[in-house]
């Protein structure tokens, strides 16, 4: 006779896994099985900060199969330097563009970003990789004391900087220029519950509630949602 294995009631993670299987999965079983049978065809690559307060599925009202997500400290994009090193973010971008043929890339930073603050204040001495990584935000830093206003502006400047780096990826540039891929810069203001989208015409971030679009990449051609391509 097999002894019954009783779950450890203090193991919160185990309880959540069991709840997913017992409660959530049965309600969405068909969707998951379709995604297995037909494969995933997400239209969007979401490059976001790892911050626990940034929840891409909530912001975009999406579910399984809709977002291909790459997250890292600061929502940073490494430069396409041809080194082809062991770089997860770079590999994710290549996978999304060349194999999944996504139609949109979102770079999403956010308010109160610890990565941006650390870029000003310095990472712990032992965190060598973090020190190197945060150099990818250096160009966005302002020559001022990191006040709340300066931090917010830096978070936004960093989003635009990463979009510019994306355009150095040959496969990204090619698809954008062909009108098959659009880039979107987002800055999520946690305390307002609102994403501010980058608007290239205004050269600024606009609250989504007051915007006519979900963010324009800083690069032509700009493809509007009705498919119209607007030349530079
Ligand atoms: Zn962050």
């Amino acid at each position: 006779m097999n002894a019954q294995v009783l779950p450890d009631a203090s193991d919160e993670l185990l309880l959540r896994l069991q709840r997913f299987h017992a409660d959530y999965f049965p309600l969405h079983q068909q969707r998951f099985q379709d995604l297995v049978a037909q494969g995933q065809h997400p239209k969007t690559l979401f490059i976001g900060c790892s911050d626990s307060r940034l929840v891409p599925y909530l912001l975009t009202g999406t579910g399984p199969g809709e977002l291909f997500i790459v997250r890292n400290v600061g929502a940073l994009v490494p430069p396409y330097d041809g080194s082809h090193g062991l770089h997860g973010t770079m590999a994710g971008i290549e996978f999304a563009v060349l194999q999944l043929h996504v139609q949109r890339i979102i770079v999403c930073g956010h308010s109160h970003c610890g990565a941006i603050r650390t870029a000003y204040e310095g990472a712990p001495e032992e965190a060598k990789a973090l020190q190197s990584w945060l150099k990818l935000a250096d160009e966005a830093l302002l020559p001022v004391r990191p006040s709340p206003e300066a931090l917010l502006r830096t978070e936004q400047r960093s989003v635009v900087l990463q979009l510019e780096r994306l355009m150095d990826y040959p496969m990204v540039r090619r698809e954008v220029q062909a009108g098959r891929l659009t880039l979107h810069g987002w800055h999520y203001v946690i305390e307002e519950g609102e994403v501010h989208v980058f608007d290239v015409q205004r050269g600024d971030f606009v609250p989504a509630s007051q915007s006519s679009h979900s963010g324009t990449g800083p690069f032509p051609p700009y493809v509007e949602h009705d498919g119209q391509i607007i030349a530079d």
Side-chain angles (χ1 to χ4, degrees):
M1 194 175 101
N2 292 330
Q4 192 183 1
V5 180
L6 293 173
D8 176 356
S10 68
D11 189 337
E12 177 68 20
L13 273 178
L14 175 63
L15 295 175
R16 286 170 184 247
L17 292 177
Q18 292 176 340
R19 210 173 292 151
F20 168 76
H21 179 69
D23 299 342
Y24 186 89
F25 181 71
L27 297 175
H28 303 274
Q29 188 166 357
Q30 189 61 51
R31 175 73 180 139
F32 285 110
Q33 288 174 347
D34 287 347
L35 283 168
V36 170
Q38 294 155 21
Q40 63 159 341
H41 302 284
K43 293 187 172 66
T44 303
L45 165 61
F46 186 100
I47 301 174
C49 185
S50 297
D51 192 292
S52 61
R53 298 163 295 184
L54 173 59
V55 187
Y57 296 105
L58 281 181
L59 293 182
T60 57
T62 48
E66 295 188 272
L67 298 177
F68 188 76
I69 298 183
V70 172
R71 300 183 71 162
N72 61 48
V73 177
L76 304 175
V77 172
Y80 192 88
D81 58 4
S83 62
H84 312 308
L86 295 172
H87 206 288
T89 295
M90 191 174 285
I93 293 164
E94 291 180 347
F95 190 91
V97 175
L98 295 174
Q99 292 188 238
L100 297 174
H101 307 290
V102 294
Q103 297 167 13
R104 298 180 287 262
I105 301 179
I106 297 162
V107 174
C108 187
H110 64 97
S111 62
H112 310 282
C113 182
I116 297 299
R117 176 176 286 279
T118 302
Y120 277 103
E121 297 178 350
E125 176 60 26
E126 191 181 359
K128 303 297 186 197
L130 182 58
Q131 290 170 14
S132 299
W133 178 248
L134 290 178
K135 286 193 173 71
L136 295 178
D138 269 359
E139 283 179 58
L141 302 188
L142 297 162
V144 296
R145 280 171 51 86
S147 65
E149 173 62 24
L151 286 168
L152 186 139
R153 282 184 53 210
T154 306
E155 290 156 3
Q156 295 182 338
R157 284 163 53 88
S158 178
V159 167
V160 178
L161 175 65
Q162 310 316 316
L163 291 174
E164 288 172 352
R165 287 219 184 94
L166 274 174
M167 281 298 278
D168 291 333
Y169 283 60
M171 70 291 302
V172 172
R173 173 173 290 275
R174 187 173 65 239
E175 294 302 297
V176 168
Q177 289 179 337
R180 290 189 291 262
L181 177 66
T182 54
L183 306 186
H184 306 251
W186 290 5
H187 180 254
Y188 169 46
V189 182
I190 298 169
E191 62 273 34
E192 292 179 3
E194 181 153 45
V195 170
H196 293 227
V197 303
F198 183 67
D199 183 323
V200 72
Q201 309 293 349
R202 293 167 61 160
D204 204 355
F205 284 76
V206 181
S209 60
Q210 295 165 36
S211 178
S212 60
H213 55 73
S214 58
T216 44
F219 309 98
Y222 313 115
V223 181
E224 293 299 318
H225 288 184
D226 60 3
Q228 186 186 358
I229 296 176
I230 300 170
D232 191 14

